[in-house]
Amino acid sequence: MESIESLKNQKFPAADSKVWKEEAEKSLKGKPLEKLLTNTYEGIALKPLYTKEDTKNLDHINEFPGFTSYKRGINPTGYSVKSWEVSQELNVSSFEEANRIIKHEIERGLTMLNLVLDNLESPINTLDDVRVLLDGIELEKLPLFVDAGILSFPFLSLIATYSNETQVPLKDLSGTIGMDPIGTLVKDGKLTIPLEKLYDLMSSTVKWSKVHTPQLRTVLVNGNPYHNGGANAVQELAYTIATAVEYIQEGLDRGLSINDIANSMTFSYSVGSNMFMEISKLRAARMLWTRIIEVYGGDKVAGQMHIHARTSAYTKTVYDPYVNMLRSTTEAFAAVIGGVNSLHVSTFDEPTKKADNFSRRIARNTQLILQEEAHLNKVVDPAGGSWYVESLTNDLAENTWALFQQVEEQGGILNALQSGFIQDSIEKVAGKRVENVKLRKEKIVGTNFYANLSEKELKSIDLEGPKSKIIPKTELDGVAKDYIDRVKDEEVLLSTTMDLVTQGVALKELVGQFESTNNIQVKPIHSHRLAESFEELRNAARRHKEATGSFPKIGLLNLGTLAMHKPRADFITGFFEAGGFEVHKNEGFTSVEAAVKGYESMDLSTVVICGTDELYKEFAEPLSNQIKSIHPNAKIYVAGMQDKETETSFLHAGISGFIHMKSNCYEVLKKLQLEMGVAVDE
């Protein structure tokens, strides 16, 4: 018998990829090893196993965090000295309510104020709005992330004026108040202000901010419109990098240095549910940005990409909404491992309603758990050195660079948008995603898989007391003409605007001075969610229940013992419940006569025969013939794919069709809903 001492001295055998390959091929029983490759939407073939060989020729593989390409993060100490900013988007119906929520959130872990101005229910329009919104909040201690949409200088003027009013030094303001005209163009398809004028205003704002608010970034490069349109990671990266290059060139043409314009930029990315792809996306983004800045001659600081991230809106679902908590947790984990500077975790009820205190608390605490309990801020770049992550990062960077060069060959991001190249490329990927969801190749838990027909509608939960009432807004009309002329003078843009807002002038009036017609237009990239097709079916089924008292129904004609019919009966049950169908089951029939009686007792127009292929040969045709003799309009389906000869024979016997793993679930269910009189397209 082996002694403990000799056991202690033994070592595990070294890993051998050749031995693994031999064993894997045995398991595949003659099928090629390539069968295990997974092709992604990015055009990357993922291997089932990565080894050191996959990284031996990669550049920067041995670099440290905070150096060279910044692939491993821009800070040598990662989050161990300073963690990422906990930044939750705010959208409320009054500024008093917003002020209460901000204070409540700060006390419970919020470290950054996050506003997307275009999404606010109550637009911030005057200095009085800001006074109510920020009353009692220490701006010098709270960084900002404000997506200002088409223009950043009007809102920046409000914040700067309020800062002076409350004696907060402008140099202490930090974060981002960023404009992204290309992002607005992509999302809306048009601009209300000429693009050249927007670039003038962008450059003026950068110049002013460099002097007065040096810690505040004023240019935003937003990847969310591409992501929410269904783009893959390569497209999202390539088109944002191309946008950033456009902003750099326009800034250089207006007298800015490469360091000035690069240091004024923040990149915003959505993080989806493919965890390793998203980790690698953020790492590849930093690599590419470093390369761009090097080409332009920028310094090391300018090459440090500043990234804000939000968990994906594209992946969230209306049905089984609490699963969104799990999706957001995975996405937030990927964002942190990828090395973001600030993060918004979307609330689980985001697709359905405005967030309440409960959903905000869960979203905020997701980030805090990653910090305080998962200890992700204790290890610098935990993904670094992973053969899989490093290889995937490199593949993403190379594919992105190739697509970026295609955009540049067309003359840049603007020409590529005007020609429709970008929109068409995203539509192809988005269409493939949706098709895979309809085929259930891509699974959405609680939607096209494991649907729960008994779930209850979400209701708001307020844990901190009643909401404050909405404050009526007043508008100041008629800006004096001399002020209008001064606003148009770019040399005094910010100081003049600050004077105007102090006098009570509304932002919409100031912005209106720059608006004109006949501006650039492109085909917009519309935002959607991946689950919408099946939610359409579920909504139709829910309306049907409200109108008739029940969901649309189908019945199972199970054949033989439980073991014989259960696999296909379970598959069919999940298949139909994904479309909101109520499925009537039974314990199985052992004769055609019993099955016919079972059918009659159900009193349903549509049934599915479930059993083994052997039982089908015995039961399917006589069962179909008898049912059709009683109810000629009955719809009878067979669960499982059959050979061509059998299919032809069954169809001649009155079988309506076959439902199996390769069926387009959405199309089958929609067709049946329409046949049953369910209004699908309301």
Side-chain angles (χ1 to χ4, degrees):
M1 185 175 181
E2 201 170 25
S3 69
I4 292 295
E5 287 303 316
S6 64
L7 186 63
K8 288 179 181 178
N9 293 326
Q10 289 182 7
K11 295 181 179 179
F12 289 103
D16 189 326
S17 58
K18 182 180 178 181
V19 173
W20 173 83
K21 183 177 180 180
E22 291 172 353
E23 293 299 318
E25 287 175 340
K26 289 179 185 177
S27 298
L28 289 170
K29 298 178 180 178
K31 294 179 182 177
L33 198 60
E34 287 72 25
K35 189 76 174 177
L36 298 178
L37 295 178
T38 302
N39 294 310
T40 73
Y41 293 112
E42 291 75 17
I44 297 171
L46 300 181
K47 301 196 300 185
L49 181 72
Y50 285 80
T51 68
K52 193 173 183 178
E53 290 293 307
D54 293 296
T55 61
K56 69 178 183 179
N57 296 321
L58 299 186
D59 294 336
H60 311 304
I61 187 63
N62 294 318
E63 71 179 44
F64 287 99
F67 292 89
T68 317
S69 72
Y70 300 114
K71 172 186 65 177
R72 300 192 63 186
I74 64 176
N75 194 327
T77 58
Y79 299 126
S80 60
V81 175
K82 186 183 186 305
S83 191
W84 70 91
E85 302 290 358
V86 179
S87 167
Q88 295 299 127
E89 287 178 20
L90 188 67
N91 184 13
V92 292
S93 55
S94 79
F95 299 117
E96 274 191 349
E97 179 191 359
N99 181 262
R100 174 181 67 81
I101 290 172
I102 293 168
K103 290 175 179 176
H104 174 84
E105 300 266 311
I106 290 172
E107 291 174 357
R108 290 159 176 81
L110 187 78
T111 64
M112 174 178 269
L113 178 59
N114 186 344
L115 299 169
V116 179
L117 298 187
D118 288 344
N119 294 343
L120 291 178
E121 188 174 332
S122 294
I124 298 172
N125 206 26
T126 68
L127 186 58
D128 283 340
D129 295 339
V130 175
R131 287 175 180 138
V132 176
L133 177 72
L134 299 179
D135 179 48
I137 294 169
E138 298 175 297
L139 275 184
E140 66 274 25
K141 296 181 181 179
L142 188 68
L144 303 170
F145 179 80
V146 180
D147 180 348
I150 194 172
L151 276 178
S152 58
F153 88 86
F155 186 79
L156 175 58
S157 300
L158 282 180
I159 294 297
T161 303
Y162 178 77
S163 181
N164 287 335
E165 186 178 276
T166 54
Q167 299 183 334
V168 174
L170 291 179
K171 65 180 180 61
D172 290 343
L173 296 178
S174 63
T176 300
I177 299 177
M179 65 182 286
D180 181 18
I182 295 295
T184 300
L185 180 63
V186 167
K187 182 166 56 80
D188 297 341
K190 60 184 178 180
L191 296 172
T192 57
I193 299 173
L195 190 56
E196 286 299 312
K197 172 57 68 175
L198 290 172
Y199 287 149
D200 292 340
L201 296 171
M202 177 187 285
S203 297
S204 297
T205 305
V206 171
K207 291 173 185 176
W208 185 90
S209 183
K210 178 184 176 182
V211 175
H212 299 281
T213 57
Q215 296 188 77
L216 202 62
R217 297 167 180 265
T218 57
V219 179
L220 185 64
V221 181
N222 199 338
N224 299 326
Y226 304 112
H227 177 93
N228 292 333
N232 62 37
V234 166
Q235 292 169 329
E236 189 179 353
L237 289 181
Y239 302 148
T240 52
I241 294 294
T243 299
V245 168
E246 170 91 354
Y247 292 164
I248 286 174
Q249 197 57 55
E250 294 296 335
L252 293 175
D253 292 346
R254 288 163 175 77
L256 292 170
S257 71
I258 180 59
N259 292 337
D260 289 341
I261 187 67
N263 288 325
S264 71
M265 285 188 187
T266 293
F267 290 76
S268 179
Y269 290 112
S270 288
V271 178
S273 56
N274 187 338
M275 185 176 70
F276 289 106
M277 185 66 72
E278 297 300 323
I279 291 170
S280 301
K281 179 179 80 177
L282 298 172
R283 301 169 97 244
R286 287 193 296 272
M287 288 177 64
L288 295 166
W289 184 239
T290 302
R291 184 185 298 184
I292 293 289
I293 297 304
E294 285 177 354
V295 170
Y296 275 102
D299 61 23
K300 291 293 184 182
V301 175
Q304 296 176 348
M305 177 184 269
H306 192 93
I307 300 177
H308 172 79
R310 73 160 348 259
T311 56
S312 174
Y314 182 74
T315 63
K316 301 307 180 293
T317 61
V318 169
Y319 289 98
D320 211 352
Y322 296 106
V323 177
N324 290 333
M325 296 182 190
L326 307 179
R327 295 187 180 102
S328 289
T329 300
T330 302
E331 293 163 359
F333 179 88
V336 172
I337 299 299
V340 299
N341 301 92
S342 56
L343 175 63
H344 160 75
V345 174
S346 55
T347 57
F348 69 88
D349 52 3
E350 181 180 57
T352 310
K353 63 183 184 62
K354 190 171 69 175
D356 56 29
N357 284 311
F358 174 69
S359 60
R360 282 194 299 268
R361 177 167 67 88
I362 295 299
R364 183 183 65 248
N365 283 349
T366 298
Q367 297 202 50
L368 299 181
I369 286 172
L370 293 178
Q371 287 181 355
E372 306 299 337
E373 296 187 23
H375 304 299
L376 296 189
N377 54 355
K378 302 300 183 186
V379 179
V380 181
D381 186 27
S386 160
W387 297 323
Y388 175 32
V389 172
E390 297 291 1
S391 180
L392 184 55
T393 298
N394 190 72
D395 288 345
L396 272 176
E398 288 186 350
N399 288 10
T400 298
W401 191 254
L403 181 56
F404 165 70
Q405 289 178 317
Q406 289 183 45
V407 173
E408 291 302 294
E409 287 170 2
Q410 295 196 29
I413 187 73
L414 196 57
N415 285 348
L417 285 167
Q418 288 178 303
S419 71
F421 169 80
I422 289 175
Q423 296 91 326
D424 292 344
S425 69
I426 290 176
E427 281 181 7
K428 288 178 183 177
V429 175
K432 188 174 181 181
R433 288 184 189 271
V434 171
E435 186 68 12
N436 284 341
V437 168
K438 291 180 176 180
L439 290 167
R440 301 213 303 171
K441 289 181 179 179
E442 185 161 339
K443 298 177 176 62
I444 304 176
V445 174
T447 301
N448 68 349
F449 265 81
Y450 311 116
N452 176 16
L453 299 190
S454 62
E455 66 180 271
K456 296 180 180 179
E457 186 179 349
L458 282 178
K459 297 188 182 299
S460 294
I461 303 172
D462 193 331
L463 300 181
E464 283 85 33
K467 295 179 175 64
S468 57
K469 62 183 179 181
I470 298 176
I471 302 174
K473 295 177 64 63
T474 58
E475 306 293 347
L476 293 172
D477 298 319
V479 184
K481 186 178 185 304
D482 60 334
Y483 287 141
I484 295 173
D485 293 338
R486 287 170 61 200
V487 169
K488 292 181 179 179
D489 182 351
E490 293 168 16
E491 295 301 317
V492 291
L493 175 68
L494 269 294
S495 58
T496 300
T497 306
M498 290 169 67
D499 290 341
L500 293 172
V501 297
T502 301
Q503 297 175 45
V505 175
L507 293 192
K508 71 176 186 179
E509 290 196 49
L510 297 176
V511 173
Q513 311 310 314
F514 301 99
E515 292 179 348
S516 67
T517 58
N518 300 320
N519 295 317
I520 184 173
Q521 294 189 24
V522 301
K523 180 182 177 181
I525 297 175
H526 296 293
S527 296
H528 63 276
R529 290 176 298 101
L530 195 54
E532 286 176 356
S533 56
F534 277 88
E535 289 170 355
E536 170 194 302
L537 299 179
R538 293 282 296 278
N539 290 339
R542 176 182 51 78
R543 291 192 300 268
H544 185 76
K545 183 179 181 181
E546 291 171 355
T548 66
S550 66
F551 289 115
K553 300 175 183 179
I554 66 108
L556 303 185
L557 292 179
N558 295 329
L559 305 179
T561 64
L562 181 65
M564 292 175 175
H565 66 250
K566 189 176 189 305
R568 280 174 167 165
D570 288 348
F571 168 76
I572 292 297
T573 298
F575 187 98
F576 277 89
E577 286 182 343
F581 283 78
E582 183 180 315
V583 180
H584 286 238
K585 307 173 186 178
N586 53 74
E587 296 182 358
F589 304 106
T590 57
S591 68
V592 172
E593 291 72 20
V596 171
K597 287 182 180 179
Y599 168 78
E600 290 185 302
S601 68
M602 292 179 193
D603 192 27
L604 297 175
S605 62
T606 304
V607 291
V608 183
I609 302 172
C610 299
T612 63
D613 290 347
E614 290 73 19
L615 286 172
Y616 290 163
K617 292 175 183 177
E618 179 183 351
F619 280 79
E621 293 189 31
L623 181 56
S624 176
N625 288 330
Q626 289 198 36
I627 290 174
K628 287 287 188 177
S629 67
I630 302 170
H631 298 288
N633 295 324
K635 297 288 183 180
I636 307 167
Y637 292 87
V638 167
M641 185 179 290
Q642 306 297 306
D643 60 68
K644 290 296 182 184
E645 185 179 344
T646 303
E647 280 193 5
T648 302
S649 177
F650 285 2
L651 291 172
H652 285 158
I655 297 294
S656 302
F658 305 86
I659 299 173
H660 44 75
M661 294 289 289
K662 294 186 178 181
S663 296
N664 187 315
C665 182
Y666 170 81
E667 295 297 342
V668 170
L669 299 182
K670 183 173 182 178
K671 179 175 179 288
L672 283 174
Q673 281 194 354
L674 291 172
E675 288 175 353
M676 293 180 181
V678 178
V680 177
D681 296 319
E682 277 191 25

